[in-house]
Amino acid sequence: MDQTNILLFLENRTDALENKIALGMKSNLGWSELTFRGLNVLSKRLANYLIKNGIDKGDKISILSESMPEWGAALFASILAGAITIPLDIKLTEYELTSILNDCKPKVLIVSNAFLEAGLKLKETIDSIEQIIILDDSGSNHNYPSLYNIPDGTENKWRHRAPSKTAFIIYTSGTTGTPKGVEISFKNVMAQVEAVGQCFHLGINDQLLSILPMNHLFELTVGFLSFLNMGTSIYYSQSLKPKDLFTVIQEKQITFMVVVPAFLKLLKTSIESEINQLPKFKKAIFNFNYKLAKFIPFFSMRKLLFLPIHKKFGGKFKTCISGGAPMDITVAKFFERIGIRIFEGYGLSETSPVVAVNIKGHNKLGSVGRALPNVQVRTDEKTGELLVKGNNVMKGYYNRPELTAEVIDEDGWLHTGDIARIDKDGFIFITGRIKSMIVLNGGKKVFPEDIEAVLEPSPKFAEVCAFGAKRSGGSKDGTEDIFVAILPSQAMVDKYQDAKELEDEIRKEVKALSIKLSSYKRPSNIIIVKDPFPRTATKKVKRNDVKKSLISVS
């Protein structure tokens, strides 16, 4: 593939793989699938319509839709028409979406049927939106153009743009106030596609199950463009319940997934729950095999030990890439032990997004892998902050030059805000966030991630969030105390009906586990909560939101 020209991306893939399934989705009505040729035809039809209806080179098109094959057609249509694509998070509120759209001012809003009503409300308040197009309406709604009822036609000339031009503007989840849009160029995108292709050698015999939202850059450049470029078929599911996903995995013989750690944790819990329901004899066999597998280096042999689990995964499942948030190492070890490779990676929207990833033959659990082949990394000598340089580094924040200058220095190094160490083999270990660092009285510095790593493995806790805050009437020198918020597991809630007993048991468990931490790192304030923590699209806990909601009641 011509790595400098994303415009030819779909054309080249169609020439090579015309009748192979590119994208598919399981719904209540069965499978909806697009071949590479079908994807090409739909993309060009929509691109032609957009150009005929006034989209000029550099105009903006927003997409508000759940993941589906048609989402990919809308993306390629926007590229062919010369537009800048703004993917929107479907979980954002109307207020948050309005804030983003007022910032980027799209001319067209493309929505799925499920978000038509939300799209119409936004059109009323956003002056720049001239038209709404429905992605997945097959003719039941004639009031608006849709991907399936617009006229055929490809007579327009597709619009080439320089690699330095903006392809996407990605807004961070929950953007309010002054939005922060990350400008990703075509050069950024193609650098990622090229590097991921060098790290993972999937092909036309592989099937990928996609579970991340398409508005997330990790899904867009890796889970979608990178693997589509390899000729891999990509499948979506309307439901993310493990039971429903296993159905898709089995039916389509899925070999690969791009996931976030929270999903792997859910999957592990689901598998363990089924094992716990087995008769004692079968449960004992599993436990014996699990201990034995530790001493077996070959994944093929581990798979034989856990054949019933691998049959559940369809029999051909090989690997997961995990990114978007830190992974609990116990979860990674569990899957590795039963014969499923987990490759943890690291990135951020500002780096398009992948910086580093573990790969076959170069995999250290607990690390986020080594830098991609076309990416440079180093740590700041004074602060330990991870710095990144390469063709994957964003153009900047949309219309925010002062903010861009704060994170990209004069030498082109992007300051990630993450504290890291790089070992002698080049593996990167993320140890904390500069912004979440807790400064204690006496100058000691604590990273909440260190505390969470010790507490999270407890089966008594469903969720853990550590943070620093001043107690009311506390120190005025800017230092903080360590707080930890705990959501008890359902098993604990069921066992202790009395709130005081539940609280006492949770506090006792926190104190018992905290012995593993240096004395100054142990939480001095424990808050028990009843509701799950707010999270981003990639399931990262919104630490500041947790802090704001709890600190007044502590």
Side-chain angles (χ1 to χ4, degrees), residues 219-441:
E219 178 61 25
L220 210 54
T221 59
V222 179
F224 183 70
L225 290 172
S226 293
F227 290 112
L228 208 60
N229 182 51
M230 298 177 198
T232 304
S233 299
I234 301 170
Y235 291 97
Y236 306 100
S237 172
Q238 285 184 329
S239 167
L240 296 183
K241 293 177 182 175
K243 182 185 72 165
D244 298 323
L245 289 176
F246 278 129
T247 302
V248 177
I249 290 169
Q250 289 164 10
E251 285 184 22
K252 292 300 176 182
Q253 297 286 280
I254 299 298
T255 59
F256 203 88
M257 286 178 74
V258 177
V259 300
V260 291
F263 173 77
L264 288 176
K265 196 167 187 177
L266 180 68
L267 208 57
K268 175 177 178 280
T269 302
S270 173
I271 293 169
E272 288 174 332
S273 176
E274 289 193 17
I275 291 163
N276 287 332
Q277 291 171 25
L278 291 173
K280 282 186 178 180
F281 176 67
K282 288 189 175 181
K283 195 174 171 181
I285 290 174
F286 173 86
N287 290 332
F288 176 79
N289 287 346
Y290 191 77
K291 289 175 182 175
L292 179 64
K294 182 180 180 180
F295 305 101
I296 298 173
F298 306 109
F299 272 70
S300 56
M301 290 181 68
R302 290 184 188 182
K303 285 183 178 183
L304 289 173
L305 284 178
F306 302 100
L307 203 55
I309 293 175
H310 285 275
K311 281 183 179 176
K312 196 175 177 66
F313 276 88
K316 292 191 176 178
F317 194 84
K318 297 182 286 192
T319 307
C320 285
I321 298 179
S322 175
M327 181 165 56
D328 181 344
I329 195 166
T330 60
V331 174
K333 284 179 177 177
F334 172 83
F335 284 104
E336 293 262 324
R337 187 80 69 87
I338 65 173
I340 294 173
R341 293 184 190 277
I342 303 293
F343 295 128
E344 186 174 7
Y346 162 82
L348 52 163
S349 296
E350 290 84 347
T351 55
S352 306
V354 184
V355 170
V357 69
N358 283 285
I359 60 174
K360 190 175 179 180
H362 300 282
N363 188 18
K364 280 190 185 181
L365 292 185
S367 84
V368 294
R370 301 193 295 189
L372 294 182
N374 54 10
V375 174
Q376 298 176 59
V377 293
R378 66 180 178 87
T379 54
D380 185 282
E381 290 180 7
K382 293 180 181 177
T383 64
E385 182 181 15
L386 184 67
L387 310 181
V388 179
K389 194 175 187 179
N391 285 338
N392 63 320
V393 172
M394 67 170 180
K395 288 179 67 175
Y397 295 115
Y398 180 65
N399 283 342
R400 305 285 298 277
E402 73 296 337
L403 203 58
T404 303
E406 286 178 18
V407 297
I408 302 177
D409 64 29
E410 293 176 353
D411 297 320
W413 288 96
L414 179 109
H415 293 242
T416 65
D418 287 309
I419 306 296
R421 67 178 177 85
I422 303 172
D423 72 11
K424 60 182 177 60
D425 299 314
F427 285 86
I428 301 166
F429 294 79
I430 304 298
T431 57
R433 284 284 296 168
I434 288 178
K435 286 182 180 177
S436 63
M437 184 172 66
I438 305 164
V439 181
L440 304 176
N441 189 10

Side-chain angles (χ1 to χ4, degrees), residues 51-87:
I51 292 170
K52 274 190 168 182
N53 283 269
I55 282 291
D56 296 318
K57 193 183 282 192
D59 281 344
K60 300 180 187 74
I61 294 174
S62 285
I63 304 174
L64 181 65
S65 167
E66 65 275 37
S67 295
M68 60 175 67
E70 291 86 354
W71 207 112
L75 174 69
F76 283 120
S78 180
I79 291 168
L80 292 170
I84 296 168
T85 310
I86 296 100

